[in-house]
């Protein structure tokens, strides 16, 4: 069996948000065991006019290949009502994206790694910096903490109260 690698996964929802984020955490926990979970943020929709999203990042250790992870995540999205017959930038029950897979760089099994959104969107970079501030972006060579400190697009996000399995994940106070 291949050695385990650290994988960071973004989770987002702007339809029945709490329900679907919890469903994603339940599934990830069942598949990978212990999760490293960022605070949960409320963020404005980016790319379209829509309801705000809940966003967070989860870290897992796995030996599953990128193709299997991607397939599982697409199936989990579909099982939770995600529609693919709508415009790319539209409301969604659940959105899971592989942000990083160890130090992999390039297109692997159809997935671009590391995901470009890390450097573009506050709702990805901030929660990633929260749980992996010293980890280094495999392309630009800067830590996620440093990238967040240098970030300045004006995208707004706010920490929210969020509990899962009886555990307080985040609070509105930050």
């Amino acid at each position: 069996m291949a050695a385990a690698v650290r994988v960071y996964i973004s989770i987002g929802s702007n339809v029945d948000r709490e329900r679907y984020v919890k469903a994603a955490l339940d599934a990830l926990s069942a598949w990978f065991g212990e999760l490293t979970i960022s605070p949960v943020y409320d963020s404005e929709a980016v790319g379209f006019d829509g309801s705000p999203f809940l966003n967070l990042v989860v870290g897992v250790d796995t030996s599953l290949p990128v193709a299997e992870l991607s397939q599982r995540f697409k199936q989990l999205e579909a099982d939770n009502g995600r529609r693919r017959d709508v415009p790319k930038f539209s409301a969604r029950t659940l959105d899971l994206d592989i942000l990083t897979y160890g130090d992999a760089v390039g297109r692997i099994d159809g997935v671009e790694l590391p995901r470009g959104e890390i450097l573009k969107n506050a709702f990805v970079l901030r929660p990633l910096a929260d749980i992996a501030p010293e980890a280094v972006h495999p392309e630009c060579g800067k830590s996620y903490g440093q990238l967040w400190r240098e970030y300045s697009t004006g995208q707004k996000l706010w920490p929210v109260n969020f509990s899962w399995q009886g555990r307080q994940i985040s609070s509105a106070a930050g």
Side-chain angles (χ1 to χ4, degrees):
M1 186 174 222
V5 297
R6 188 65 165 178
V7 177
Y8 290 103
I9 304 151
S10 66
I11 301 172
S13 174
N14 76 333
V15 174
D16 202 356
R17 305 177 320 163
E18 211 170 295
R19 170 186 169 195
Y20 290 112
V21 167
K22 288 179 178 180
L25 292 172
D26 288 343
L28 294 174
S29 177
W31 291 335
F32 304 111
E34 186 67 28
L35 306 176
T36 302
I37 306 172
S38 78
V40 179
Y41 292 92
D42 201 0
S43 66
E44 298 168 330
V46 173
F48 70 101
D49 289 329
S51 300
F53 277 79
L54 284 184
N55 291 101
L56 67 154
V57 170
V58 172
V60 302
D61 295 310
T62 184
S63 56
L64 294 176
V66 171
E68 185 168 341
L69 289 174
S70 181
Q71 186 277 327
R72 282 187 185 202
F73 296 165
K74 281 184 172 71
Q75 187 61 53
L76 179 60
E77 291 170 341
D79 291 346
N80 283 279
R82 170 80 183 265
R83 297 189 45 203
R84 303 248 176 227
D85 61 345
V86 296
K88 178 179 178 180
F89 294 107
S90 60
R92 55 198 59 176
T93 56
L94 191 57
D95 186 26
L96 284 92
D97 293 308
I98 301 168
L99 299 176
T100 65
Y101 184 88
D103 292 328
V105 173
R107 185 168 279 296
I108 299 170
D109 299 326
V111 177
E112 193 63 39
L113 296 168
R115 190 165 180 89
E117 282 185 311
I118 294 170
L119 301 177
K120 294 179 183 136
N121 291 316
F123 61 82
V124 175
L125 181 56
R126 171 78 186 270
L128 182 56
D130 286 337
I131 60 172
E134 302 303 318
V136 174
H137 188 283
E139 280 186 313
C140 75
K142 293 181 179 181
S143 73
Y144 298 117
Q146 180 180 357
L147 288 167
W148 177 246
R149 287 188 298 276
E150 296 171 354
Y151 187 81
S152 63
T153 69
Q155 288 179 9
K156 294 178 176 58
L157 65 163
W158 305 267
V160 297
N161 293 321
F162 195 90
S163 295
W164 172 67
Q165 295 187 348
R167 179 174 143 208
Q168 184 77 21
I169 302 299
S170 64
S171 66

